[in-house]
Amino acid sequence: MPKHAGRLTPLELEIMKVLWDTGPANVLAVQQGLSGGPAYTTVQTMLNVLLRKGKVKRTLKGRAFIYRPALSRADAAKTAVRDLIDRMFAGSAESLVLGLLESKELSPEKLRRIEARLKEGTE
């Protein structure tokens, strides 16, 4: 399987967000939960792609498939962060954190919270 097979495209991520937020849903409900309103057939195709990737599961209810996440939001976030670290920071998590510090993305309060979490992990 290609290395990027675990990545979610922007539309796949939006579909997963709908499923994470609303729970199991049919194609129409997912389509209605998306901003920008992609076509029904586009949503159906993307749900089938997510099914093949193992990111969603489906069950037949009446004449419609009901889709539910097979991938948790937390696991998707871990995969995305790992991918970002690998692609942008040559596998160095330290470089990612330093980049956040240099770009002023972390306030002093957030830095204190991170420091407290780090201390918890070493005790």
Side-chain angles (χ1 to χ4, degrees), residues 59-111:
T59 54
L60 188 60
K61 185 173 183 181
R63 292 177 33 201
F65 283 111
I66 304 297
Y67 294 86
R68 68 185 187 289
L71 173 70
S72 71
R73 190 184 299 254
D75 285 342
K78 287 177 193 173
T79 299
V81 169
R82 180 80 258 161
D83 182 56
L84 176 67
I85 290 168
D86 289 344
R87 290 187 304 119
M88 297 298 296
F89 299 98
S92 170
E94 178 184 3
S95 294
L96 169 64
V97 173
L98 291 173
L100 288 169
L101 291 171
E102 290 168 5
S103 67
K104 307 282 191 242
E105 292 294 324
L106 297 173
S107 67
E109 174 57 30
K110 288 179 183 176
L111 287 172

Side-chain angles (χ1 to χ4, degrees), residues 16-87:
M16 292 301 296
K17 286 178 182 177
V18 169
L19 292 173
W20 289 324
D21 292 343
T22 66
N26 63 22
V27 176
L28 182 60
V30 172
Q31 180 197 24
Q32 292 172 343
L34 295 169
S35 59
Y40 180 93
T41 54
T42 300
V43 175
Q44 186 175 41
T45 298
M46 295 310 300
L47 282 164
N48 285 326
V49 169
L50 288 165
L51 180 69
R52 282 194 304 275
K53 286 183 168 184
K55 308 300 183 190
V56 299
K57 294 181 180 183
R58 72 179 183 191
T59 54
L60 188 60
K61 185 173 183 181
R63 292 177 33 201
F65 283 111
I66 304 297
Y67 294 86
R68 68 185 187 289
L71 173 70
S72 71
R73 190 184 299 254
D75 285 342
K78 287 177 193 173
T79 299
V81 169
R82 180 80 258 161
D83 182 56
L84 176 67
I85 290 168
D86 289 344
R87 290 187 304 119

